[in-house]
Amino acid sequence: MHCTARSSRASCHHRSYHKPRNKHMSKDHQARRAPISLERSTPPACPNLKETVREGLRALSDSTEIQNGVRQHRFSGTEADKAHAAKWLGLRFQRAVDPQRIILTNGAQSAMVLALASVAAPGDTVLTEELTYYGFRKHAHLQGIRTETIAMDDDGAEPQAFEMACRKFAPKALFLMPTIHNPTTIVMSLERRQRVVQIARQYGVSIIEDDVYGVLAESVPAPFGALAPEMTWHITSFAKCVGPGVRVGYLVAPHGKAAQTTLDRFYGMSTWFAAPFSVELVNLWLASGSMQKIVAGVRDEAVARQRIATQWLAGISFRTRPDALFLWLDLEGIIDQDELVAQCASRNITIRPGRIFATDPKLPLNRVRLVIGSPESRDELEAAMAVVGGVLQGARKGAVAGVR
């Protein structure tokens, strides 16, 4: 996959030469006891998060109906919940969203379960890109749904590959992460989205859109949920723009009738319900404008952390964006992904090999994803990147020497 920027906010760094702040940090960090994780795509804490949480909890404690958060289920969300959600989603969709299309869930993964069951039955086929979020395949296979792979390029899913798969497999749906794709950070262009929609309409294929990173990205196209609402099951949550402790997700169905059919099918199965206290806190933040401030703070922190991370990657090819929570490193000709993972683990730094994102085991892949949001602080991120960068630079020099 080549490194090509596709918008003013997109940034694919190829062989960066920034000077790290502390070239001795790699050695110093080897004695660290507690491991630093660069595995999970957790957003960094914005500067005002602690106080915003305190203020929100104080406001909830003053509510005259606080006892309802303990005594009542939220089911798919109240009318007020969906009104708040519709207003928030409207900012992303760049148009009004019918509240009747919205189902509140206990996060994005619960929304995936509902969406999959709504578009496919056991034995049916759903398409994914050759690199994608591995959790989606697990959910599909648990429901007896087959997954097939289509090729990607620097703009995401290839239309020709999609159309060929439609003819070959007669799929029920296509799963996409078109905005800050996990793990590549690709943002699919508007032109590509429109072409995908055209093919999906032609073959009657639904689109399941995972947009959990969408609100972090600036100057990006509208989601499929807005471009083709009649065929799209749009998924988002607050786990990647606030934190995974905010267990609230939104599933936007193609229309109100589809949402109601899904609710009828899953009624009484409480594992996917959003927790009432989480919903109340989210509603409070949405109404007060605090949510937008939190997201802006997370975005700004991501930009700062991207600068820290990239300065340790001199001579290494990678792809990312300033507003992404991770980087996608190409290790070809430098070091095997498993060797890098092992060497970093021996120095108390945990990272994930790129192969876990591959949907085709035959796909030649020697990459890793580095997450910048999970370390507790910028200093902790720099300490971790010093280790990763040190291993990579040592391997790169060895590879160059071997060629000579």
Side-chain angles (χ1 to χ4, degrees):
M1 198 169 294
H2 299 290
C3 297
T4 54
R6 290 192 173 271
S7 76
S8 59
R9 291 290 297 175
S11 175
C12 181
H13 301 268
H14 183 74
R15 308 204 185 287
S16 171
Y17 292 96
H18 298 288
K19 184 178 179 181
R21 289 189 293 177
N22 186 350
K23 64 181 180 180
H24 302 296
M25 195 175 294
S26 177
K27 295 180 181 179
D28 296 341
H29 180 72
Q30 292 181 22
R32 180 184 174 88
R33 295 179 181 178
I36 299 176
S37 172
L38 302 181
E39 289 185 289
R40 296 191 177 278
S41 54
T42 306
C46 61
N48 64 328
L49 182 61
K50 183 182 292 186
E51 186 55 35
T52 303
V53 171
R54 284 175 175 167
E55 290 177 356
L57 294 178
R58 279 196 294 265
L60 288 183
S61 69
D62 293 335
S63 171
T64 58
E65 298 181 356
I66 189 172
Q67 74 281 359
N68 291 337
V70 175
R71 298 189 63 251
Q72 298 178 0
H73 275 306
R74 213 66 174 204
F75 296 111
S76 65
T78 65
E79 289 187 11
D81 297 337
K82 294 181 180 183
H84 285 297
K87 186 175 181 180
W88 175 251
L89 288 162
L91 298 175
R92 177 75 183 95
F93 278 47
Q94 302 171 27
R95 65 186 64 185
V97 177
D98 180 4
Q100 298 305 311
R101 294 174 59 195
I102 301 170
I103 302 173
L104 268 69
T105 67
N106 186 36
Q109 293 207 30
S110 294
M112 282 183 189
V113 172
L114 270 62
L116 272 165
S118 298
V119 300
D124 286 338
T125 297
V126 170
L127 303 178
T128 71
E129 294 159 297
E130 62 187 7
L131 295 170
T132 195
Y133 170 57
Y134 51 86
F136 178 81
R137 284 173 288 149
K138 290 183 178 180
H139 287 305
H141 296 162
L142 281 171
Q143 295 188 43
I145 299 169
R146 298 173 60 241
T147 55
E148 295 290 346
T149 296
I150 62 172
M152 300 174 63
D153 59 19
D154 288 337
D155 202 12
E158 290 185 354
Q160 183 177 2
F162 177 32
E163 185 163 15
M164 289 177 61
C166 288
R167 294 173 179 172
K168 183 176 181 180
F169 301 113
K172 296 296 184 180
L174 169 64
F175 174 73
L176 294 172
M177 298 187 72
T179 306
I180 309 188
H181 175 271
N182 184 13
T184 67
T185 76
I186 289 171
V187 173
M188 185 183 289
S189 68
L190 177 60
E191 293 76 17
R192 176 64 59 86
R193 295 179 196 226
Q194 291 171 333
R195 178 60 181 141
V196 168
V197 167
Q198 183 182 26
I199 296 169
R201 283 179 175 148
Q202 179 180 350
Y203 290 92
V205 177
S206 297
I207 295 173
I208 300 177
E209 177 179 36
D210 185 342
D211 196 49
V212 290
Y213 300 104
V215 296
L216 289 176
E218 293 187 306
S219 302
V220 294
F224 281 95
L227 297 173
E230 80 284 359
M231 66 174 64
T232 302
W233 293 79
H234 177 92
I235 297 168
T236 190
S237 75
F238 297 96
K240 306 303 183 184
C241 62
V242 179
V246 183
R247 303 303 305 163
V248 177
Y250 299 143
L251 173 61
V252 186
H255 43 75
K257 184 178 179 180
Q260 189 59 53
T261 300
T262 297
L263 289 175
D264 292 343
R265 182 176 182 183
F266 284 90
Y267 184 81
M269 301 170 64
S270 63
T271 53
W272 62 271
F273 293 175
F277 277 128
S278 288
V279 176
E280 288 291 351
L281 187 60
V282 165
N283 288 348
L284 184 72
W285 287 345
L286 291 174
S288 67
S290 295
M291 186 66 77
Q292 287 181 285
K293 292 178 182 178
I294 293 173
V295 173
V298 169
R299 185 186 301 114
D300 290 344
E301 183 65 17
V303 170
R305 292 189 179 210
Q306 284 281 353
R307 294 194 191 102
I308 292 171
T310 57
Q311 67 182 350
W312 292 96
L313 299 175
I316 308 298
S317 295
F318 61 92
R319 180 164 194 149
T320 193
R321 289 174 51 94
D323 45 22
L325 300 182
F326 43 86
L327 304 90
W328 185 234
L329 275 61
D330 185 356
L331 307 179
E332 195 61 39
I334 299 175
I335 188 173
D336 180 75
Q337 58 184 307
D338 292 318
E339 179 63 22
L340 176 61
V341 171
Q343 288 199 36
C344 288
S346 71
R347 294 163 172 81
N348 286 325
I349 306 299
T350 59
I351 61 177
R352 282 191 169 156
R355 69 169 180 277
I356 68 172
F357 300 98
T359 56
D360 182 355
K362 297 179 182 178
L363 182 69
L365 186 72
N366 188 27
R367 297 176 182 254
V368 294
R369 187 191 72 172
L370 301 181
V371 175
I372 61 170
S374 49
E376 290 296 322
S377 65
R378 296 182 190 181
D379 287 342
E380 191 170 273
L381 172 64
E382 180 132 33
M385 287 304 305
V387 172
V388 176
V391 173
L392 287 172
Q393 297 308 325
R396 189 173 70 89
K397 291 176 182 177
V400 172
V403 172
R404 291 178 181 174

